[in-house]
Amino acid sequence: MTASVLATELSLPMYTVRLDGLLSKFMGETAGKLRTVFDAVARHRAVYLFDEFDALGADRSGNDVGEARRILNSFLVFLEDASPESLVLAATNHRSILDKALFRRFDAVLAYSLPDARQATAVMRARLGTLAQGTSMAKLGALTEGLSHAELVKAAESAAKAVLMRGKTRVERDDVVNALTTRRAASLG
C-alpha cells in the first residue's frame, strides 16, 4: 500500500517485481534477471516494489547455499548503483531474517505496527467510502485485533461486494462483522 501511495503522490508508474518469476534454480540466471530489473530502474523513472523480499534478502551468514549468497550480493551491488530517479522499495513480514547489509543500503526503513481499534475503523471507513455512511462500526475492536491494514482493506472490500451483490447501496453492521470474522479466520487460522 505504501508503494502505491508513493507512486500516486509522485505521479510515477509502479512496478511490482515478482520474485517467483525472478528466482531461478539455474546458477547465474537470477542475477541476470536482477540486472534486467535494475536496467529498467535506470531507464524508466518509476516506483519498483520487491514484495515478499525475505525470499531474496535472507541473512547470508545463516545461508549455506552459495547461489543464494551470490544473488543477495548481486542485489546489493545493483542497489548501490541504482538510479536516483526511481524509487526501489522492498517489503517483508519477516524483517528479522533479512541480511543486515540491506538496512544500510536503503535510505529509510519503515516498520508498521498493527492498527488499534480506532485506526482499524478508520481504515475500513475510508475503503468503504459512501457505502458506510450511517453504519455503526462501534465496538469492533475484538474483530479487528491482530489484522493488518491490508487485511482490513480486504475485509471492507468483501463487505462492499456482499452489499453490491444484494443490489443495496449501504453496508450494514452485519456485513462488516461477517467480513471481519471471515478475514480473521483466514489470516489468524
Side-chain angles (χ1 to χ4, degrees):
M1 290 169 65
T2 301
S4 179
V5 169
L6 285 170
T8 300
E9 290 296 316
L10 296 171
S11 299
L12 292 174
M14 183 181 122
Y15 300 105
T16 301
V17 179
R18 293 182 43 145
L19 294 180
D20 62 339
L22 186 68
L23 299 175
S24 171
K25 64 181 179 180
F26 298 110
M27 191 168 199
E29 191 171 304
T30 301
K33 290 179 180 180
L34 268 175
R35 178 177 301 285
T36 301
V37 169
F38 279 96
D39 285 348
V41 169
R43 283 192 317 273
H44 305 290
R45 188 170 186 244
V47 174
Y48 295 85
L49 172 64
F50 288 82
D51 200 5
E52 304 296 336
F53 189 69
D54 46 280
L56 182 71
D59 188 359
R60 292 172 288 183
S61 65
N63 195 335
D64 59 354
V65 180
E67 181 65 0
R69 282 195 301 269
R70 283 189 289 277
I71 292 167
L72 181 55
N73 286 339
S74 294
F75 180 86
L76 291 169
V77 169
F78 293 144
L79 189 59
E80 281 272 319
D81 298 333
S83 168
E85 296 297 313
S86 292
L87 286 178
V88 176
L89 304 164
T92 183
N93 290 326
H94 306 286
R95 177 182 174 159
S96 63
I97 68 169
L98 293 179
D99 194 276
K100 304 301 179 241
L102 288 165
F103 295 97
R104 294 188 301 271
R105 297 305 198 291
F106 284 94
D107 293 332
V109 176
L110 305 175
Y112 292 97
S113 58
L114 294 176
D116 61 25
R118 182 189 57 76
Q119 292 167 333
T121 300
V123 166
M124 293 194 65
R125 279 200 181 281
R127 189 64 180 148
L128 288 167
T130 59
L131 289 174
Q133 285 181 345
T135 301
S136 171
M137 291 198 198
K139 299 183 181 172
L140 292 175
L143 291 173
T144 63
E145 187 177 334
L147 295 179
S148 69
H149 293 84
E151 291 165 328
L152 292 165
V153 166
K154 288 181 181 183
E157 290 171 349
S158 177
K161 287 177 188 174
V163 168
L164 296 173
M165 294 296 288
R166 289 195 314 263
K168 302 291 182 182
T169 58
R170 189 170 152 253
V171 170
E172 300 294 331
R173 182 179 173 82
D174 285 345
D175 297 316
V176 174
V177 168
N178 290 338
L180 286 170
T181 302
T182 301
R183 177 55 45 195
R184 282 181 65 75
S187 68
L188 302 177

